[in-house]
Amino acid sequence: MEAKRVGDQMCRHLGSNRPPIVILTGAGISAESGLSTFRGDGGLWAGHRVEDVASPSAFDRDPDLVYEFYNLRRRNLLSIDVKPNAAHKALERLQSEWSERVTIITQNVDDLHERAGSSNVIHMHGELLKIRHLDSGEVRSWNDDCDGSTLDGRWRPHIVWFGEAILETAAISEALMSAGLFLCIGTAGQVYPAAGFVHEVAGPSVEFNIQRTAISKSFTDAVLGSAAEHLPIFVDALLK
Ligand code: APR
């Protein structure tokens, strides 16, 4: 099976030299937890392109629409059916059993890595369960709806919108520079800078996706298929 073959190969390649690992995750890893991806069939929201709702200009033009978009996503994330899947759990296992540092950089704004028990998770695109003050920049945890009347009325979702700078750039650069293996899971490779991370790691790289993507050619190897099915097999082989 592909995941085992690639896992065995990476294990042999790294030998006893166990370098730090960096893992980039995208919407595909949470798809099997019931959260829809951005660019698939469910990529439209109420007739809007997601890019047209997730932007500072959309917030200026129609804040209620933008608040509502994130309120629905927050409610969905907190619904009883949404929970971490076998792929999130496999990454937690890798983090706890690999002898060197394993950093997860996620483009996802959900908290499924944390719910699976992972630590050292960098949320480069923000977090759905946090809000940010428009004036002071203060960030606080928030599990309820948020709108223009929340608290003092000056709060927005703690989400990086199109056209805004990603978060935690220093920690990301440091992790990429020190890594000797790069895994990329469930991302279409269409949004930069994340889509370019594969070029910043010295060492092999593996892409996990149900289909080939815009950046597949940049990887040393690929495992085609569901992350929840294949990642546990790969991690098992890598840890042998
Ligand atoms: N297992 C593995 N991969 C999967 C699975 C699965 N079960 N289901 C879907 N995928 C893959 C799809 O083939 C696709 O390549 O996940 C990818 C999801 O792509 P996008 O929806 O574009 O999500 P992502 O790449 O994370 O988007 C990046 O764009 O809209 C912005 O800020 C938003 O963080 C997001 C960023």
Side-chain angles (χ1 to χ4, degrees), residues 26-28 32 37-39 107 125 162 186-188 191 209-211 227:
E32 288 165 272
T37 59
F38 290 94
R39 295 178 181 77
Q107 298 169 92
H125 289 167
F162 285 91
T187 177
V191 175
N209 204 298
I210 49 171
Q211 60 194 349

Side-chain angles (χ1 to χ4, degrees), residues 64-82:
D64 290 343
L65 180 81
V66 177
Y67 281 126
E68 182 60 3
F69 176 66
Y70 289 102
N71 287 340
L72 289 175
R73 292 185 66 198
R74 194 179 302 104
R75 279 183 227 155
N76 187 35
L77 174 59
L78 293 172
S79 72
I80 195 107
D81 320 324
V82 173

Side-chain angles (χ1 to χ4, degrees), residues 59 67 133-135 146-156:
F59 189 63
Y67 281 126
H133 197 266
L134 286 165
D135 308 317
C146 171
D147 59 29
S149 64
T150 295
L151 303 172
D152 67 354
R154 299 289 299 157
W155 294 83
R156 58 165 275 183

Side-chain angles (χ1 to χ4, degrees), residues 80-97:
I80 195 107
D81 320 324
V82 173
K83 39 184 179 297
N85 65 55
H88 298 100
K89 289 178 191 161
L91 295 189
E92 189 282 324
R93 180 179 170 216
L94 184 59
Q95 279 190 319
S96 51
E97 296 185 25

Side-chain angles (χ1 to χ4, degrees), residues 8-80:
D8 286 342
Q9 194 176 308
M10 288 300 147
C11 185
R12 270 198 307 279
H13 179 89
L14 298 174
S16 55
N17 164 35
R18 295 197 149 194
I21 298 175
V22 168
I23 302 162
L24 174 68
T25 63
I29 195 170
S30 296
E32 288 165 272
S33 292
L35 299 177
S36 60
T37 59
F38 290 94
R39 295 178 181 77
D41 292 341
L44 278 183
W45 178 73
H48 304 276
R49 286 194 323 144
V50 172
E51 287 84 344
D52 294 339
V53 188
S55 71
S57 56
F59 189 63
D60 287 344
R61 198 171 51 240
D62 192 350
D64 290 343
L65 180 81
V66 177
Y67 281 126
E68 182 60 3
F69 176 66
Y70 289 102
N71 287 340
L72 289 175
R73 292 185 66 198
R74 194 179 302 104
R75 279 183 227 155
N76 187 35
L77 174 59
L78 293 172
S79 72
I80 195 107

Side-chain angles (χ1 to χ4, degrees), residues 2 19 28 59 65 70 78 110 125 153 166 176 198 200 229:
E2 199 61 2
F59 189 63
L65 180 81
Y70 289 102
L78 293 172
D110 65 53
H125 289 167
I166 63 161
L176 292 169
V198 59
E200 293 181 45
E229 187 184 333

